[in-house]
Amino acid sequence: MRVNQVAAGYCLLLAPSLAVARIDSELPSDYHGVPRETYGRQVFYDALPDPNLKQATQWLIGNPNRINLGRIGLTYKGATVSSSQITQPKQVLDLWNGIITSTFRINGKDVKVITQGDFEEDAVVFRVESDLLKRGDLGVELDFPYPPIHTTAYKYEVFAGVYDFPLNHTTSIGTNSKGSSASIKHQLQETSYFANLRWPGQTALELSRNDPGGSNSTTAHRYTLKPVSRKSSSIIFTAQFSPDQRNPSPPSIIQARNKLEWNKYWQEGGFVDVTASSNPNATELQRRIVTSQYHVRVNSAAKGQSPQESGLMNNGWYGKFHMEMVIWHNAHWATWGKQKYFDNIFPELYERLLPSSLARAKAMGWQGARWPKMTDPIYGINSPGDINGVLLWQQPHALYLANLAYQASPTRKTLQRWDRVVTETADYMASYAGLNASTGKYDLGPPSYGVTENTPPNSTRNLAYEIAYWSYGLDAAREWKRKLGQRVPDKWTHVAANLALPPQVDGLYAVYDGLNSSWWNDTKLNGDPRSLIMLQGILPDTPAVNPMIALATADKVAQVWTDDKIRGWGRPVLAINSARIGNPSRAMYHLTAYDYWKFDDAGFAIRGGDGGTPPPFMPGNAGFLYAVAYVVGGWSGSKGDAPGVPKGQGWIVKHEGLLKAL
């Protein structure tokens, strides 16, 4: 379970859960994958939608899923406070101490809500101050929604819960001492948990249910927490969510350690300061640097799992995280010198997914571990989707991340800790590549999807970035074995030496094999050619990539991939590539293209594009941080201070504690 602080004293919590959705005529166990011809044989892909099992397929896409554990807000005269009742709203985030202070007026009376999260428990402390408490008019409301049925209508689930099925779940008061604690049990078929409450004994609170049990009203699972007496104009309480009923930490304990942990976070690792710059873009750049560090700490500093695309704010993409995005979510921890957050996630995430990934590869006729695309950290199911079954570029990520870990701690312990993951990853990559009898080279696909997911999967062969990444990965795995003093498997060496090269057309790299020069005029492909600039920058040096051809390709991409087309994590890619190819002015332009790359008032990156995905977009913030560290701290082989920052444009950059990127 994880806690997320949000506006005006509300608290939204999400956690992995088994499904509560039902399907009528099909069972998930009926789904066995969909066949695709691969290197001359039929392979059943476990993550392609089955048109003959639409219900079962959709169930597997949406489940298991994260659920909204509870909403905590305010009531006025017995009714939920609405936005129309609130005037003069103001909210201030104390970044240094991790405190959100919300002030507003209800019926002309001042209300202040102070919110602090906890790093040790899944808990939040709220302090509410208002004379309305003395009148008995103001109370705290706890409400427990039901997970929406995860159909395609809820792919981008901003609201994270519905109130339409009150009889499908139950809530009940577990304890209510009227002294210092209470709890609410929430039961959703197989899933149950407790909302445990605690407050100081000198300000007794009372928990009551708004509607009787068994109500079919949309308010059936609402509860009110109010002072027993009207002597005080303030209340404070802890709200903790747990699989079991327990007494959470007192508010004062959480408040104290919350500040200490936030202070410690800001003092550890790296920092970048551009406030001495005369460039007019400096102030906004500094704001984005600081707020992004706050948001990744709240939304992304997990244990054993990578964040979902929208962090803890909502359930976009059914609330599941994407394996191809783990670098964009987490590589910044390493380059910003906050390695402990990186190590809290890796390699445990891969170790959790290893049994299911080994089984997946074996069932498909390959060796090693075939990592999923869109999944959950508990069961490792590869959720079906048109792209999910044949996406390639998540496979070498483990090798890239292992090298980041080794760069931060170049010890035998690091080598041994990652060795199983490295080995199984490379075993799969060498096994998956298919020998082309005509060329004598090893191909990747078809079927295959690449970074930009915009090519015909059943005929796409040898995507440029994926081929180069495969080459880098196999080389990295072989070097890993050498450092351990272990034998390098012959298969790895043979495939690496005979892997097809990234395709070229007229002296430039092409997205995949078989294209001619006209592809540069194909709007479907030139609308997002980021994979070609990833060959130099995101991808460390590899013999598979000719740096001069990559440079010429990057310049061509700069001509066709115009500002109006760039979205998501495209800007960090462009900034990193521009720095790498020796164009710092272009690198800084992409980091400060504020007219196109929007961050909202809270500092959340906005994905842009089709507008179908819910904000925020955490790879935007995390990718931005990775790009800033790359531009300022440099990369393997870079020379001088801040090699990606242009000289003579009013930039004065001070930094400390950054590590070079790969």
Side-chain angles (χ1 to χ4, degrees):
M1 296 181 180
R2 294 287 308 284
V3 174
N4 182 37
Q5 300 174 358
V6 292
Y10 272 78
C11 180
L12 171 68
L13 301 102
L14 301 170
S17 170
L18 274 174
V20 292
R22 299 296 185 189
I23 57 178
D24 299 323
S25 59
E26 302 168 5
L27 293 173
S29 57
D30 295 334
Y31 177 88
H32 299 291
V34 177
R36 289 287 184 272
E37 183 174 333
T38 307
Y39 311 138
R41 67 182 179 91
Q42 288 292 303
V43 175
F44 277 80
Y45 285 80
D46 68 339
L48 292 175
D50 189 336
N52 298 317
L53 292 170
K54 292 183 178 180
Q55 288 179 304
T57 295
Q58 186 58 44
W59 192 93
L60 288 166
I61 292 172
N63 292 283
N65 60 78
R66 300 192 308 175
I67 62 173
N68 182 350
L69 295 178
R71 292 184 182 273
I72 303 175
L74 296 175
T75 63
Y76 176 64
K77 292 186 176 180
T80 303
V81 172
S82 66
S83 58
S84 62
Q85 293 176 295
I86 294 176
T87 58
Q88 301 179 31
K90 182 180 180 181
Q91 190 171 77
V92 176
L93 169 61
D94 178 351
L95 287 159
W96 178 253
N97 294 305
I99 301 173
I100 295 176
T101 301
S102 305
T103 57
F104 46 92
R105 308 197 89 192
I106 298 176
N107 197 24
K109 300 296 182 180
D110 292 332
V111 180
K112 178 188 286 187
V113 179
I114 301 171
T115 308
Q116 291 177 264
D118 191 17
F119 287 127
E120 294 188 17
E121 301 176 11
D122 296 314
V124 183
V125 169
F126 296 101
R127 179 179 176 87
V128 183
E129 301 174 4
S130 178
D131 286 341
L132 292 172
L133 289 167
K134 283 187 174 182
R135 297 183 180 187
D137 291 338
L138 194 66
V140 173
E141 180 179 88
L142 297 95
D143 201 358
F144 299 87
Y146 185 78
I149 297 173
H150 289 266
T151 65
T152 53
Y154 294 116
K155 179 178 181 181
Y156 305 129
E157 181 198 323
V158 178
F159 42 86
V162 296
Y163 298 87
D164 304 335
F165 312 105
L167 298 179
N168 283 16
H169 56 133
T170 63
T171 53
S172 59
I173 295 178
T175 59
N176 184 14
S177 66
K178 295 186 181 180
S180 61
S181 65
S183 65
I184 301 169
K185 182 179 182 180
H186 192 191
Q187 185 79 43
L188 306 96
Q189 284 84 46
E190 299 90 351
T191 299
S192 66
Y193 61 92
F194 289 83
N196 299 309
L197 309 173
R198 184 171 180 178
W199 53 87
Q202 62 268 29
T203 309
L205 305 179
E206 181 176 13
L207 179 69
S208 61
R209 184 170 191 152
N210 293 14
D211 292 357
S215 169
N216 63 357
S217 167
T218 56
T219 61
H221 301 291
R222 291 185 183 177
Y223 294 77
T224 299
L225 186 68
K226 296 184 72 171
V228 174
S229 69
R230 300 182 181 180
K231 296 179 180 179
S232 177
S233 60
S234 68
I235 61 172
I236 188 170
F237 67 97
T238 298
Q240 180 222 44
F241 293 80
S242 171
D244 51 24
Q245 186 175 318
R246 62 177 69 175
N247 206 20
S249 297
S252 59
I253 297 296
I254 294 176
Q255 287 179 311
R257 70 187 180 207
N258 173 72
K259 288 183 180 180
L260 289 174
E261 285 299 320
W262 273 112
N263 296 167
K264 182 180 178 181
Y265 173 75
W266 289 115
Q267 294 178 79
E268 64 190 5
F271 198 78
V272 174
D273 179 3
V274 298
T275 56
S277 302
S278 61
N279 191 291
N281 290 320
T283 299
E284 174 62 9
L285 183 65
Q286 189 70 61
R287 181 185 81 96
R288 294 186 179 195
I289 289 171
V290 173
T291 56
S292 290
Q293 289 183 83
Y294 175 84
H295 292 315
V296 296
R297 178 63 184 91
V298 171
N299 288 276
S300 306
K303 179 167 174 44
Q305 60 180 294
S306 185
Q308 183 263 346
E309 300 304 86
S310 296
L312 297 171
M313 298 295 281
N314 56 61
N315 262 4
W317 286 280
Y318 307 99
K320 298 185 178 183
F321 71 90
H322 296 185
M323 286 294 287
E324 81 275 18
M325 295 303 293
V326 294
I327 287 175
W328 287 107
H329 279 291
N330 303 298
H332 68 90
W333 295 123
T335 55
W336 281 81
K338 299 180 186 290
Q339 189 66 26
K340 73 176 185 181
Y341 300 103
F342 181 98
D343 292 339
N344 281 341
I345 300 170
F346 305 111
E348 182 181 339
L349 172 60
Y350 285 102
E351 291 167 342
R352 282 188 178 191
L353 297 173
L354 191 56
S356 59
S357 298
L358 288 167
R360 179 179 302 111
K362 183 177 181 180
M364 300 175 79
W366 290 303
Q367 298 172 1
R370 178 181 170 93
W371 305 114
K373 191 274 188 199
M374 187 176 89
T375 188
D376 71 277
I378 300 174
Y379 301 99
I381 296 170
N382 200 1
S383 302
D386 291 329
I387 294 163
N388 300 4
V390 294
L391 195 70
L392 294 183
W393 67 295
Q394 75 271 28
Q395 303 303 333
H397 280 353
L399 303 166
Y400 186 102
L401 293 164
N403 273 345
L404 274 178
Y406 185 75
Q407 177 176 267
S409 180
T411 66
R412 187 169 184 83
K413 182 179 179 181
T414 302
L415 293 170
Q416 291 172 333
R417 177 70 199 278
W418 278 85
D419 187 48
R420 177 84 191 279
V421 171
V422 166
T423 301
E424 300 295 356
T425 300
D427 275 348
Y428 170 75
M429 290 169 58
S431 175
Y432 170 77
L435 182 62
N436 187 322
S438 299
T439 64
K441 297 292 185 180
Y442 283 92
D443 293 337
L444 302 183
S448 65
Y449 260 127
V451 169
T452 50
E453 303 171 0
N454 59 359
T455 64
N458 292 329
S459 59
T460 296
R461 175 182 289 106
N462 294 340
L463 289 145
Y465 182 71
E466 283 69 14
I467 279 283
Y469 204 8
W470 232 256
S471 178
Y472 163 80
L474 288 173
D475 285 347
R478 292 190 296 155
E479 182 61 24
W480 200 268
K481 289 297 185 184
R482 294 187 188 104
K483 288 174 181 174
L484 278 169
Q486 298 178 5
R487 186 184 69 84
V488 176
D490 293 340
K491 179 73 170 179
W492 299 4
T493 300
H494 178 70
V495 172
N498 294 281
L499 195 64
L501 291 173
Q504 299 179 34
V505 176
D506 295 338
L508 302 175
Y509 285 120
V511 178
Y512 64 96
D513 199 11
L515 294 174
N516 57 41
S517 58
S518 67
W519 85 263
W520 288 102
N521 300 315
D522 183 343
T523 55
K524 187 174 182 179
L525 295 177
N526 69 27
D528 190 351
R530 75 183 69 194
S531 63
L532 296 183
I533 57 169
M534 289 169 66
L535 289 167
Q536 196 172 48
I538 288 299
L539 187 66
D541 287 338
T542 170
V545 177
N546 183 308
M548 297 310 296
I549 296 174
L551 171 61
T553 305
D555 288 339
K556 177 69 174 181
V557 168
Q559 297 173 23
V560 301
W561 201 19
T562 52
D563 281 320
D564 57 310
K565 300 175 183 176
I566 302 166
R567 64 174 183 171
W569 45 278
R571 294 285 175 186
V573 167
L574 286 160
I576 288 170
N577 170 259
S578 298
R580 184 62 167 268
I581 64 176
N583 194 332
S585 293
R586 195 156 77 192
M588 193 58 74
Y589 169 77
H590 285 300
L591 287 179
T592 59
Y594 305 143
D595 290 341
Y596 300 97
W597 194 15
K598 304 291 186 181
F599 280 48
D600 67 15
D601 290 345
F604 281 113
I606 298 173
R607 181 172 182 256
D610 56 19
T613 55
F617 184 64
M618 293 310 300
N621 290 98
F624 166 77
L625 289 175
Y626 194 43
V628 169
Y630 196 101
V631 165
V632 175
W635 55 93
S636 179
S638 66
K639 305 296 183 183
D641 185 61
V645 179
K647 306 297 189 283
Q649 296 183 18
W651 289 108
I652 298 176
V653 180
K654 303 174 185 177
H655 62 95
E656 64 180 23
L658 300 178
L659 298 181
K660 286 189 174 184
L662 296 178

